[in-house]
Amino acid sequence: MIKKHMYFIILILSTSIILLIISCSDDSSDEPTTLPAPILLEATAITTASFNISWIGSTVATQYLIDVATDDQFSTLLSNYNQFVITSESLQVTGLEDDTRYYVRLTASDGTITSEFSNMRSATTEFEFVPEPEPEVFLRDTAKFPVGVALQAGRLNGAYASRVSNEFSSITGEFEMKMSPIFQAEGSYNFTPGDALVSFAEANDMQVHGHALVWHNAVPSFVQNFSGSDEEFEQLIRTYIHDVVNHYKGKIISWDVVNEAFDDNGGNLRNSVFRQKLGDDYLAKCFQWAREADPDILLFYNDYNLFFDNSKLNAALAMVADFQQRGIPIDGFGFQAHIGINFPSETQIRSAVDKVVATGLQVHFSEVDIRINPNNDLTMPSSSRLQAQRAKYKEVVEIFSKIPKEQQFAITIWGLIDSQTWLIDFWGQPEWPLMFNNDLSPKPAHTGFAEGLME
Ligand code: G3I
């Protein structure tokens, strides 16, 4: 009996061992002989020059080989995407032509075996709008009034300088002729940067508008924190105005004597250091001091938001009326005109301008820029916004052109190329408010300005 059991146990054991050997035998017939082909998904994130593709690969694949072509037979493979090797399961296909259909396929590989081709997918890149170049019309050649630009002396080189001298007949220093860069200490002045602007203007038959003798935002600290008496402060500012106006006498045509004296909350007189130490009538004193230094210089008041802030406009007009009634010298009025494509309206602009024209003063649109991105919804200028900007520049020029000729002082654009606009730093967002691209080529805005001149 026992023998029988022994034989049975031996039989079971030997069968299990044989089965074990078989199951572990390196029977190459279990090795996969094919890899499943990847499954390509729809292309995504399609742009004018790229698209993304992804696929369902296989766990055994170690890499994928991708073909991209412009025909569905893959006879026109792109050189960069001919069996392009990648280990992940997605790819951004780049360096493509716009408005072109591309075809994609791929295989999987484990280093030895390569799968069949995947399904094919196609993607058509977006059409890239390439605007026609704007016509090259030099504004100074067609305008019947001075066309100005705000500049910084250090930028006046090469093609930049040529664009300025070809296009413009007037210059305003964006910074160099303000009190803070000029007034180093009592009796000490830095006229060098301003003189550079004047020299450039003289060499290019351009006028210079001085900006600005007195502005609460450009006050050197020794003036802002003046510790002497009010009489001594008055002597300090009178001497400053005399010396600066004297320095530029016969070289420039006009000054913004006082800039932005009225506030944004009802047009009240700002409580600047000038008002605190010279009294509420400090504006009249500054205009008189400037006239004492130069009997021929044109004396302007300059401010912003005057097209639509009626409180501020009325405060400025009241000052003008008071000056004219008292015989305080004033020759011109500056609308800074920092506006947008949709605001203020043509009606608002015309109404405000008409009120100043009625005073008989010369009118300066002194710091024109026209925002296209006030709501920060653009990362690049769109064609529609650029065309709206063109229309607004045309509108502004047409309004100015309807001012009586003897009262048309100038239109001055507050900067040359978009990347240099103060608005980017001020608002902390992208903006393209000016007439020239960063490569100095004219924008539709420039065409709009020229169209306004034709009316
Ligand atoms: O030139 C110096 C440079 O040497 C220095 O390294 C640098 C660092 O601080 O500052 C440079 O000066 C800057 C200057 O622009 C020139 O780029 C001043 O800091 C900066 O405050 C000055 O900003 C100007 C601003 O007025 C204040 O003066 C803007 O460019 C100018 O567009 C802006 O213009 C004003 C008008 O005068 C009045 N109406 C509003 C308009 C916008 O604020």
mmCIF file with all atom_site columns, all heavy atoms in Angstrom, residues 131-136 159 163 167 416-418 434-447:
data_model
loop_
_atom_site.group_PDB
_atom_site.id
_atom_site.type_symbol
_atom_site.label_atom_id
_atom_site.label_alt_id
_atom_site.label_comp_id
_atom_site.label_asym_id
_atom_site.label_entity_id
_atom_site.label_seq_id
_atom_site.pdbx_PDB_ins_code
_atom_site.Cartn_x
_atom_site.Cartn_y
_atom_site.Cartn_z
_atom_site.occupancy
_atom_site.B_iso_or_equiv
_atom_site.pdbx_formal_charge
_atom_site.auth_seq_id
_atom_site.auth_comp_id
_atom_site.auth_asym_id
_atom_site.auth_atom_id
_atom_site.pdbx_PDB_model_num
ATOM 1   N N   . PRO A 1 131 ? -0.453 92.772  -42.490 1.00 0.00 ? 131 PRO A N   1
ATOM 2   C CA  . PRO A 1 131 ? -1.002 94.022  -43.039 1.00 0.00 ? 131 PRO A CA  1
ATOM 3   C C   . PRO A 1 131 ? -0.106 94.593  -44.134 1.00 0.00 ? 131 PRO A C   1
ATOM 4   O O   . PRO A 1 131 ? 1.108  94.434  -44.099 1.00 0.00 ? 131 PRO A O   1
ATOM 5   C CB  . PRO A 1 131 ? -1.029 94.959  -41.829 1.00 0.00 ? 131 PRO A CB  1
ATOM 6   C CG  . PRO A 1 131 ? -0.070 94.378  -40.849 1.00 0.00 ? 131 PRO A CG  1
ATOM 7   C CD  . PRO A 1 131 ? -0.041 92.911  -41.095 1.00 0.00 ? 131 PRO A CD  1
ATOM 8   N N   . GLU A 1 132 ? -0.762 95.224  -45.105 1.00 0.00 ? 132 GLU A N   1
ATOM 9   C CA  . GLU A 1 132 ? 0.004  95.940  -46.128 1.00 0.00 ? 132 GLU A CA  1
ATOM 10  C C   . GLU A 1 132 ? 0.790  97.031  -45.421 1.00 0.00 ? 132 GLU A C   1
ATOM 11  O O   . GLU A 1 132 ? 0.284  97.632  -44.467 1.00 0.00 ? 132 GLU A O   1
ATOM 12  C CB  . GLU A 1 132 ? -0.966 96.573  -47.145 1.00 0.00 ? 132 GLU A CB  1
ATOM 13  C CG  . GLU A 1 132 ? -1.578 95.558  -48.099 1.00 0.00 ? 132 GLU A CG  1
ATOM 14  C CD  . GLU A 1 132 ? -0.517 94.940  -48.995 1.00 0.00 ? 132 GLU A CD  1
ATOM 15  O OE1 . GLU A 1 132 ? 0.297  95.692  -49.571 1.00 0.00 ? 132 GLU A OE1 1
ATOM 16  O OE2 . GLU A 1 132 ? -0.457 93.700  -49.037 1.00 0.00 ? 132 GLU A OE2 1
ATOM 17  N N   . PRO A 1 133 ? 2.025  97.331  -45.837 1.00 0.00 ? 133 PRO A N   1
ATOM 18  C CA  . PRO A 1 133 ? 2.725  98.465  -45.205 1.00 0.00 ? 133 PRO A CA  1
ATOM 19  C C   . PRO A 1 133 ? 1.936  99.752  -45.418 1.00 0.00 ? 133 PRO A C   1
ATOM 20  O O   . PRO A 1 133 ? 1.321  99.949  -46.454 1.00 0.00 ? 133 PRO A O   1
ATOM 21  C CB  . PRO A 1 133 ? 4.067  98.501  -45.931 1.00 0.00 ? 133 PRO A CB  1
ATOM 22  C CG  . PRO A 1 133 ? 3.934  97.649  -47.133 1.00 0.00 ? 133 PRO A CG  1
ATOM 23  C CD  . PRO A 1 133 ? 2.829  96.678  -46.871 1.00 0.00 ? 133 PRO A CD  1
ATOM 24  N N   . GLU A 1 134 ? 1.962  100.582 -44.345 1.00 0.00 ? 134 GLU A N   1
ATOM 25  C CA  . GLU A 1 134 ? 1.255  101.858 -44.442 1.00 0.00 ? 134 GLU A CA  1
ATOM 26  C C   . GLU A 1 134 ? 2.005  102.781 -45.409 1.00 0.00 ? 134 GLU A C   1
ATOM 27  O O   . GLU A 1 134 ? 3.227  102.700 -45.534 1.00 0.00 ? 134 GLU A O   1
ATOM 28  C CB  . GLU A 1 134 ? 1.167  102.504 -43.065 1.00 0.00 ? 134 GLU A CB  1
ATOM 29  C CG  . GLU A 1 134 ? 0.370  101.685 -42.047 1.00 0.00 ? 134 GLU A CG  1
ATOM 30  C CD  . GLU A 1 134 ? -1.085 101.496 -42.449 1.00 0.00 ? 134 GLU A CD  1
ATOM 31  O OE1 . GLU A 1 134 ? -1.693 102.456 -42.967 1.00 0.00 ? 134 GLU A OE1 1
ATOM 32  O OE2 . GLU A 1 134 ? -1.601 100.380 -42.269 1.00 0.00 ? 134 GLU A OE2 1
ATOM 33  N N   . PRO A 1 135 ? 1.283  103.665 -46.091 1.00 0.00 ? 135 PRO A N   1
ATOM 34  C CA  . PRO A 1 135 ? 1.968  104.578 -47.019 1.00 0.00 ? 135 PRO A CA  1
ATOM 35  C C   . PRO A 1 135 ? 2.945  105.492 -46.280 1.00 0.00 ? 135 PRO A C   1
ATOM 36  O O   . PRO A 1 135 ? 2.688  105.914 -45.153 1.00 0.00 ? 135 PRO A O   1
ATOM 37  C CB  . PRO A 1 135 ? 0.812  105.385 -47.624 1.00 0.00 ? 135 PRO A CB  1
ATOM 38  C CG  . PRO A 1 135 ? -0.360 105.163 -46.737 1.00 0.00 ? 135 PRO A CG  1
ATOM 39  C CD  . PRO A 1 135 ? -0.174 103.865 -46.044 1.00 0.00 ? 135 PRO A CD  1
ATOM 40  N N   . GLU A 1 136 ? 4.071  105.763 -46.911 1.00 0.00 ? 136 GLU A N   1
ATOM 41  C CA  . GLU A 1 136 ? 5.071  106.664 -46.311 1.00 0.00 ? 136 GLU A CA  1
ATOM 42  C C   . GLU A 1 136 ? 4.734  108.099 -46.713 1.00 0.00 ? 136 GLU A C   1
ATOM 43  O O   . GLU A 1 136 ? 5.098  108.581 -47.768 1.00 0.00 ? 136 GLU A O   1
ATOM 44  C CB  . GLU A 1 136 ? 6.470  106.287 -46.829 1.00 0.00 ? 136 GLU A CB  1
ATOM 45  C CG  . GLU A 1 136 ? 7.072  105.090 -46.152 1.00 0.00 ? 136 GLU A CG  1
ATOM 46  C CD  . GLU A 1 136 ? 7.549  105.398 -44.718 1.00 0.00 ? 136 GLU A CD  1
ATOM 47  O OE1 . GLU A 1 136 ? 7.389  106.546 -44.263 1.00 0.00 ? 136 GLU A OE1 1
ATOM 48  O OE2 . GLU A 1 136 ? 8.049  104.468 -44.074 1.00 0.00 ? 136 GLU A OE2 1
ATOM 49  N N   . ALA A 1 159 ? 18.430 105.822 -37.503 1.00 0.00 ? 159 ALA A N   1
ATOM 50  C CA  . ALA A 1 159 ? 17.130 105.808 -38.187 1.00 0.00 ? 159 ALA A CA  1
ATOM 51  C C   . ALA A 1 159 ? 16.052 106.472 -37.343 1.00 0.00 ? 159 ALA A C   1
ATOM 52  O O   . ALA A 1 159 ? 15.106 107.068 -37.863 1.00 0.00 ? 159 ALA A O   1
ATOM 53  C CB  . ALA A 1 159 ? 16.740 104.356 -38.499 1.00 0.00 ? 159 ALA A CB  1
ATOM 54  N N   . ARG A 1 163 ? 13.649 109.362 -38.748 1.00 0.00 ? 163 ARG A N   1
ATOM 55  C CA  . ARG A 1 163 ? 12.177 109.297 -38.731 1.00 0.00 ? 163 ARG A CA  1
ATOM 56  C C   . ARG A 1 163 ? 11.625 110.577 -38.088 1.00 0.00 ? 163 ARG A C   1
ATOM 57  O O   . ARG A 1 163 ? 10.669 111.158 -38.586 1.00 0.00 ? 163 ARG A O   1
ATOM 58  C CB  . ARG A 1 163 ? 11.715 108.049 -37.980 1.00 0.00 ? 163 ARG A CB  1
ATOM 59  C CG  . ARG A 1 163 ? 10.258 107.925 -37.785 1.00 0.00 ? 163 ARG A CG  1
ATOM 60  C CD  . ARG A 1 163 ? 9.480  107.891 -39.094 1.00 0.00 ? 163 ARG A CD  1
ATOM 61  N NE  . ARG A 1 163 ? 9.512  106.586 -39.743 1.00 0.00 ? 163 ARG A NE  1
ATOM 62  C CZ  . ARG A 1 163 ? 8.896  106.314 -40.889 1.00 0.00 ? 163 ARG A CZ  1
ATOM 63  N NH1 . ARG A 1 163 ? 8.257  107.285 -41.528 1.00 0.00 ? 163 ARG A NH1 1
ATOM 64  N NH2 . ARG A 1 163 ? 8.944  105.112 -41.434 1.00 0.00 ? 163 ARG A NH2 1
ATOM 65  N N   . GLU A 1 167 ? 9.424  113.404 -40.211 1.00 0.00 ? 167 GLU A N   1
ATOM 66  C CA  . GLU A 1 167 ? 7.980  113.443 -39.928 1.00 0.00 ? 167 GLU A CA  1
ATOM 67  C C   . GLU A 1 167 ? 7.531  114.709 -39.205 1.00 0.00 ? 167 GLU A C   1
ATOM 68  O O   . GLU A 1 167 ? 6.396  115.146 -39.392 1.00 0.00 ? 167 GLU A O   1
ATOM 69  C CB  . GLU A 1 167 ? 7.611  112.246 -39.026 1.00 0.00 ? 167 GLU A CB  1
ATOM 70  C CG  . GLU A 1 167 ? 7.720  110.896 -39.680 1.00 0.00 ? 167 GLU A CG  1
ATOM 71  C CD  . GLU A 1 167 ? 6.577  110.605 -40.645 1.00 0.00 ? 167 GLU A CD  1
ATOM 72  O OE1 . GLU A 1 167 ? 5.587  111.354 -40.691 1.00 0.00 ? 167 GLU A OE1 1
ATOM 73  O OE2 . GLU A 1 167 ? 6.692  109.604 -41.369 1.00 0.00 ? 167 GLU A OE2 1
ATOM 74  N N   . LEU A 1 416 ? 7.422  108.513 -29.849 1.00 0.00 ? 416 LEU A N   1
ATOM 75  C CA  . LEU A 1 416 ? 7.562  108.120 -31.258 1.00 0.00 ? 416 LEU A CA  1
ATOM 76  C C   . LEU A 1 416 ? 7.078  106.699 -31.483 1.00 0.00 ? 416 LEU A C   1
ATOM 77  O O   . LEU A 1 416 ? 6.184  106.442 -32.284 1.00 0.00 ? 416 LEU A O   1
ATOM 78  C CB  . LEU A 1 416 ? 9.029  108.245 -31.691 1.00 0.00 ? 416 LEU A CB  1
ATOM 79  C CG  . LEU A 1 416 ? 9.276  107.993 -33.176 1.00 0.00 ? 416 LEU A CG  1
ATOM 80  C CD1 . LEU A 1 416 ? 8.676  109.110 -34.039 1.00 0.00 ? 416 LEU A CD1 1
ATOM 81  C CD2 . LEU A 1 416 ? 10.770 107.858 -33.470 1.00 0.00 ? 416 LEU A CD2 1
ATOM 82  N N   . ILE A 1 417 ? 7.690  105.738 -30.755 1.00 0.00 ? 417 ILE A N   1
ATOM 83  C CA  . ILE A 1 417 ? 7.356  104.322 -30.988 1.00 0.00 ? 417 ILE A CA  1
ATOM 84  C C   . ILE A 1 417 ? 6.666  103.738 -29.756 1.00 0.00 ? 417 ILE A C   1
ATOM 85  O O   . ILE A 1 417 ? 6.941  104.124 -28.619 1.00 0.00 ? 417 ILE A O   1
ATOM 86  C CB  . ILE A 1 417 ? 8.617  103.495 -31.342 1.00 0.00 ? 417 ILE A CB  1
ATOM 87  C CG1 . ILE A 1 417 ? 9.679  103.567 -30.240 1.00 0.00 ? 417 ILE A CG1 1
ATOM 88  C CG2 . ILE A 1 417 ? 9.183  103.957 -32.686 1.00 0.00 ? 417 ILE A CG2 1
ATOM 89  C CD1 . ILE A 1 417 ? 10.912 102.703 -30.500 1.00 0.00 ? 417 ILE A CD1 1
ATOM 90  N N   . ASP A 1 418 ? 5.778  102.789 -30.017 1.00 0.00 ? 418 ASP A N   1
ATOM 91  C CA  . ASP A 1 418 ? 4.895  102.271 -28.956 1.00 0.00 ? 418 ASP A CA  1
ATOM 92  C C   . ASP A 1 418 ? 5.641  101.802 -27.710 1.00 0.00 ? 418 ASP A C   1
ATOM 93  O O   . ASP A 1 418 ? 5.186  101.997 -26.584 1.00 0.00 ? 418 ASP A O   1
ATOM 94  C CB  . ASP A 1 418 ? 4.066  101.113 -29.509 1.00 0.00 ? 418 ASP A CB  1
ATOM 95  C CG  . ASP A 1 418 ? 2.888  101.620 -30.350 1.00 0.00 ? 418 ASP A CG  1
ATOM 96  O OD1 . ASP A 1 418 ? 2.416  102.752 -30.102 1.00 0.00 ? 418 ASP A OD1 1
ATOM 97  O OD2 . ASP A 1 418 ? 2.457  100.881 -31.262 1.00 0.00 ? 418 ASP A OD2 1
ATOM 98  N N   . LEU A 1 434 ? 0.832  104.972 -29.949 1.00 0.00 ? 434 LEU A N   1
ATOM 99  C CA  . LEU A 1 434 ? 1.497  105.967 -30.780 1.00 0.00 ? 434 LEU A CA  1
ATOM 100 C C   . LEU A 1 434 ? 1.370  105.631 -32.261 1.00 0.00 ? 434 LEU A C   1
ATOM 101 O O   . LEU A 1 434 ? 0.620  104.744 -32.649 1.00 0.00 ? 434 LEU A O   1
ATOM 102 C CB  . LEU A 1 434 ? 2.958  106.093 -30.331 1.00 0.00 ? 434 LEU A CB  1
ATOM 103 C CG  . LEU A 1 434 ? 3.103  106.491 -28.847 1.00 0.00 ? 434 LEU A CG  1
ATOM 104 C CD1 . LEU A 1 434 ? 4.551  106.443 -28.395 1.00 0.00 ? 434 LEU A CD1 1
ATOM 105 C CD2 . LEU A 1 434 ? 2.510  107.878 -28.585 1.00 0.00 ? 434 LEU A CD2 1
ATOM 106 N N   . MET A 1 435 ? 2.154  106.370 -33.103 1.00 0.00 ? 435 MET A N   1
ATOM 107 C CA  . MET A 1 435 ? 1.946  106.245 -34.552 1.00 0.00 ? 435 MET A CA  1
ATOM 108 C C   . MET A 1 435 ? 2.955  105.345 -35.234 1.00 0.00 ? 435 MET A C   1
ATOM 109 O O   . MET A 1 435 ? 2.830  105.054 -36.434 1.00 0.00 ? 435 MET A O   1
ATOM 110 C CB  . MET A 1 435 ? 2.006  107.639 -35.198 1.00 0.00 ? 435 MET A CB  1
ATOM 111 C CG  . MET A 1 435 ? 0.892  108.577 -34.802 1.00 0.00 ? 435 MET A CG  1
ATOM 112 S SD  . MET A 1 435 ? 0.721  109.948 -35.970 1.00 0.00 ? 435 MET A SD  1
ATOM 113 C CE  . MET A 1 435 ? 2.301  110.769 -35.758 1.00 0.00 ? 435 MET A CE  1
ATOM 114 N N   . PHE A 1 436 ? 4.001  104.915 -34.492 1.00 0.00 ? 436 PHE A N   1
ATOM 115 C CA  . PHE A 1 436 ? 5.027  104.102 -35.157 1.00 0.00 ? 436 PHE A CA  1
ATOM 116 C C   . PHE A 1 436 ? 5.282  102.807 -34.391 1.00 0.00 ? 436 PHE A C   1
ATOM 117 O O   . PHE A 1 436 ? 5.264  102.786 -33.155 1.00 0.00 ? 436 PHE A O   1
ATOM 118 C CB  . PHE A 1 436 ? 6.337  104.908 -35.294 1.00 0.00 ? 436 PHE A CB  1
ATOM 119 C CG  . PHE A 1 436 ? 6.200  106.094 -36.212 1.00 0.00 ? 436 PHE A CG  1
ATOM 120 C CD1 . PHE A 1 436 ? 5.858  107.335 -35.705 1.00 0.00 ? 436 PHE A CD1 1
ATOM 121 C CD2 . PHE A 1 436 ? 6.362  105.958 -37.579 1.00 0.00 ? 436 PHE A CD2 1
ATOM 122 C CE1 . PHE A 1 436 ? 5.699  108.426 -36.544 1.00 0.00 ? 436 PHE A CE1 1
ATOM 123 C CE2 . PHE A 1 436 ? 6.196  107.046 -38.426 1.00 0.00 ? 436 PHE A CE2 1
ATOM 124 C CZ  . PHE A 1 436 ? 5.859  108.283 -37.910 1.00 0.00 ? 436 PHE A CZ  1
ATOM 125 N N   . ASN A 1 437 ? 5.526  101.753 -35.182 1.00 0.00 ? 437 ASN A N   1
ATOM 126 C CA  . ASN A 1 437 ? 5.926  100.474 -34.604 1.00 0.00 ? 437 ASN A CA  1
ATOM 127 C C   . ASN A 1 437 ? 7.334  100.590 -34.050 1.00 0.00 ? 437 ASN A C   1
ATOM 128 O O   . ASN A 1 437 ? 8.051  101.545 -34.359 1.00 0.00 ? 437 ASN A O   1
ATOM 129 C CB  . ASN A 1 437 ? 5.886  99.384  -35.692 1.00 0.00 ? 437 ASN A CB  1
ATOM 130 C CG  . ASN A 1 437 ? 4.482  99.118  -36.192 1.00 0.00 ? 437 ASN A CG  1
ATOM 131 O OD1 . ASN A 1 437 ? 3.579  98.803  -35.423 1.00 0.00 ? 437 ASN A OD1 1
ATOM 132 N ND2 . ASN A 1 437 ? 4.296  99.294  -37.513 1.00 0.00 ? 437 ASN A ND2 1
ATOM 133 N N   . ASN A 1 438 ? 7.747  99.604  -33.302 1.00 0.00 ? 438 ASN A N   1
ATOM 134 C CA  . ASN A 1 438 ? 9.081  99.659  -32.684 1.00 0.00 ? 438 ASN A CA  1
ATOM 135 C C   . ASN A 1 438 ? 10.196 99.591  -33.717 1.00 0.00 ? 438 ASN A C   1
ATOM 136 O O   . ASN A 1 438 ? 11.318 99.986  -33.441 1.00 0.00 ? 438 ASN A O   1
ATOM 137 C CB  . ASN A 1 438 ? 9.219  98.549  -31.650 1.00 0.00 ? 438 ASN A CB  1
ATOM 138 C CG  . ASN A 1 438 ? 8.206  98.725  -30.526 1.00 0.00 ? 438 ASN A CG  1
ATOM 139 O OD1 . ASN A 1 438 ? 7.740  99.846  -30.273 1.00 0.00 ? 438 ASN A OD1 1
ATOM 140 N ND2 . ASN A 1 438 ? 7.832  97.635  -29.888 1.00 0.00 ? 438 ASN A ND2 1
ATOM 141 N N   . ASP A 1 439 ? 9.880  99.122  -34.928 1.00 0.00 ? 439 ASP A N   1
ATOM 142 C CA  . ASP A 1 439 ? 10.897 99.128  -36.008 1.00 0.00 ? 439 ASP A CA  1
ATOM 143 C C   . ASP A 1 439 ? 10.840 100.430 -36.800 1.00 0.00 ? 439 ASP A C   1
ATOM 144 O O   . ASP A 1 439 ? 11.412 100.530 -37.884 1.00 0.00 ? 439 ASP A O   1
ATOM 145 C CB  . ASP A 1 439 ? 10.687 97.921  -36.943 1.00 0.00 ? 439 ASP A CB  1
ATOM 146 C CG  . ASP A 1 439 ? 9.364  98.017  -37.709 1.00 0.00 ? 439 ASP A CG  1
ATOM 147 O OD1 . ASP A 1 439 ? 8.636  99.024  -37.543 1.00 0.00 ? 439 ASP A OD1 1
ATOM 148 O OD2 . ASP A 1 439 ? 9.050  97.066  -38.454 1.00 0.00 ? 439 ASP A OD2 1
ATOM 149 N N   . LEU A 1 440 ? 10.119 101.409 -36.255 1.00 0.00 ? 440 LEU A N   1
ATOM 150 C CA  . LEU A 1 440 ? 9.993  102.749 -36.830 1.00 0.00 ? 440 LEU A CA  1
ATOM 151 C C   . LEU A 1 440 ? 9.076  102.804 -38.052 1.00 0.00 ? 440 LEU A C   1
ATOM 152 O O   . LEU A 1 440 ? 8.930  103.870 -38.666 1.00 0.00 ? 440 LEU A O   1
ATOM 153 C CB  . LEU A 1 440 ? 11.373 103.356 -37.201 1.00 0.00 ? 440 LEU A CB  1
ATOM 154 C CG  . LEU A 1 440 ? 12.324 103.603 -36.027 1.00 0.00 ? 440 LEU A CG  1
ATOM 155 C CD1 . LEU A 1 440 ? 13.720 103.933 -36.543 1.00 0.00 ? 440 LEU A CD1 1
ATOM 156 C CD2 . LEU A 1 440 ? 11.803 104.734 -35.131 1.00 0.00 ? 440 LEU A CD2 1
ATOM 157 N N   . SER A 1 441 ? 8.470  101.678 -38.430 1.00 0.00 ? 441 SER A N   1
ATOM 158 C CA  . SER A 1 441 ? 7.528  101.699 -39.559 1.00 0.00 ? 441 SER A CA  1
ATOM 159 C C   . SER A 1 441 ? 6.214  102.345 -39.108 1.00 0.00 ? 441 SER A C   1
ATOM 160 O O   . SER A 1 441 ? 5.804  102.196 -37.949 1.00 0.00 ? 441 SER A O   1
ATOM 161 C CB  . SER A 1 441 ? 7.260  100.273 -40.058 1.00 0.00 ? 441 SER A CB  1
ATOM 162 O OG  . SER A 1 441 ? 6.695  99.499  -39.017 1.00 0.00 ? 441 SER A OG  1
ATOM 163 N N   . PRO A 1 442 ? 5.551  103.074 -40.017 1.00 0.00 ? 442 PRO A N   1
ATOM 164 C CA  . PRO A 1 442 ? 4.293  103.735 -39.641 1.00 0.00 ? 442 PRO A CA  1
ATOM 165 C C   . PRO A 1 442 ? 3.164  102.731 -39.419 1.00 0.00 ? 442 PRO A C   1
ATOM 166 O O   . PRO A 1 442 ? 3.081  101.730 -40.120 1.00 0.00 ? 442 PRO A O   1
ATOM 167 C CB  . PRO A 1 442 ? 3.997  104.646 -40.827 1.00 0.00 ? 442 PRO A CB  1
ATOM 168 C CG  . PRO A 1 442 ? 4.791  104.127 -41.964 1.00 0.00 ? 442 PRO A CG  1
ATOM 169 C CD  . PRO A 1 442 ? 5.965  103.409 -41.393 1.00 0.00 ? 442 PRO A CD  1
ATOM 170 N N   . LYS A 1 443 ? 2.300  103.032 -38.444 1.00 0.00 ? 443 LYS A N   1
ATOM 171 C CA  . LYS A 1 443 ? 1.119  102.216 -38.137 1.00 0.00 ? 443 LYS A CA  1
ATOM 172 C C   . LYS A 1 443 ? -0.078 102.821 -38.848 1.00 0.00 ? 443 LYS A C   1
ATOM 173 O O   . LYS A 1 443 ? -0.023 103.931 -39.376 1.00 0.00 ? 443 LYS A O   1
ATOM 174 C CB  . LYS A 1 443 ? 0.880  102.225 -36.617 1.00 0.00 ? 443 LYS A CB  1
ATOM 175 C CG  . LYS A 1 443 ? 1.932  101.536 -35.779 1.00 0.00 ? 443 LYS A CG  1
ATOM 176 C CD  . LYS A 1 443 ? 1.809  101.919 -34.298 1.00 0.00 ? 443 LYS A CD  1
ATOM 177 C CE  . LYS A 1 443 ? 0.428  101.632 -33.750 1.00 0.00 ? 443 LYS A CE  1
ATOM 178 N NZ  . LYS A 1 443 ? 0.331  102.047 -32.325 1.00 0.00 ? 443 LYS A NZ  1
ATOM 179 N N   . PRO A 1 444 ? -1.225 102.115 -38.819 1.00 0.00 ? 444 PRO A N   1
ATOM 180 C CA  . PRO A 1 444 ? -2.462 102.725 -39.345 1.00 0.00 ? 444 PRO A CA  1
ATOM 181 C C   . PRO A 1 444 ? -2.765 104.059 -38.670 1.00 0.00 ? 444 PRO A C   1
ATOM 182 O O   . PRO A 1 444 ? -3.333 104.964 -39.294 1.00 0.00 ? 444 PRO A O   1
ATOM 183 C CB  . PRO A 1 444 ? -3.516 101.666 -39.015 1.00 0.00 ? 444 PRO A CB  1
ATOM 184 C CG  . PRO A 1 444 ? -2.770 100.365 -39.020 1.00 0.00 ? 444 PRO A CG  1
ATOM 185 C CD  . PRO A 1 444 ? -1.408 100.694 -38.458 1.00 0.00 ? 444 PRO A CD  1
ATOM 186 N N   . ALA A 1 445 ? -2.329 104.235 -37.415 1.00 0.00 ? 445 ALA A N   1
ATOM 187 C CA  . ALA A 1 445 ? -2.543 105.514 -36.718 1.00 0.00 ? 445 ALA A CA  1
ATOM 188 C C   . ALA A 1 445 ? -1.906 106.663 -37.485 1.00 0.00 ? 445 ALA A C   1
ATOM 189 O O   . ALA A 1 445 ? -2.473 107.763 -37.597 1.00 0.00 ? 445 ALA A O   1
ATOM 190 C CB  . ALA A 1 445 ? -1.958 105.436 -35.307 1.00 0.00 ? 445 ALA A CB  1
ATOM 191 N N   . HIS A 1 446 ? -0.728 106.410 -38.021 1.00 0.00 ? 446 HIS A N   1
ATOM 192 C CA  . HIS A 1 446 ? -0.024 107.444 -38.811 1.00 0.00 ? 446 HIS A CA  1
ATOM 193 C C   . HIS A 1 446 ? -0.824 107.769 -40.072 1.00 0.00 ? 446 HIS A C   1
ATOM 194 O O   . HIS A 1 446 ? -0.998 108.935 -40.441 1.00 0.00 ? 446 HIS A O   1
ATOM 195 C CB  . HIS A 1 446 ? 1.365  106.921 -39.162 1.00 0.00 ? 446 HIS A CB  1
ATOM 196 C CG  . HIS A 1 446 ? 2.182  107.815 -40.017 1.00 0.00 ? 446 HIS A CG  1
ATOM 197 N ND1 . HIS A 1 446 ? 2.110  107.792 -41.398 1.00 0.00 ? 446 HIS A ND1 1
ATOM 198 C CD2 . HIS A 1 446 ? 3.083  108.779 -39.705 1.00 0.00 ? 446 HIS A CD2 1
ATOM 199 C CE1 . HIS A 1 446 ? 2.942  108.706 -41.892 1.00 0.00 ? 446 HIS A CE1 1
ATOM 200 N NE2 . HIS A 1 446 ? 3.534  109.309 -40.894 1.00 0.00 ? 446 HIS A NE2 1
ATOM 201 N N   . THR A 1 447 ? -1.374 106.732 -40.690 1.00 0.00 ? 447 THR A N   1
ATOM 202 C CA  . THR A 1 447 ? -2.215 106.930 -41.880 1.00 0.00 ? 447 THR A CA  1
ATOM 203 C C   . THR A 1 447 ? -3.445 107.750 -41.513 1.00 0.00 ? 447 THR A C   1
ATOM 204 O O   . THR A 1 447 ? -3.857 108.647 -42.243 1.00 0.00 ? 447 THR A O   1
ATOM 205 C CB  . THR A 1 447 ? -2.624 105.567 -42.461 1.00 0.00 ? 447 THR A CB  1
ATOM 206 O OG1 . THR A 1 447 ? -1.448 104.810 -42.728 1.00 0.00 ? 447 THR A OG1 1
ATOM 207 C CG2 . THR A 1 447 ? -3.429 105.736 -43.738 1.00 0.00 ? 447 THR A CG2 1
#
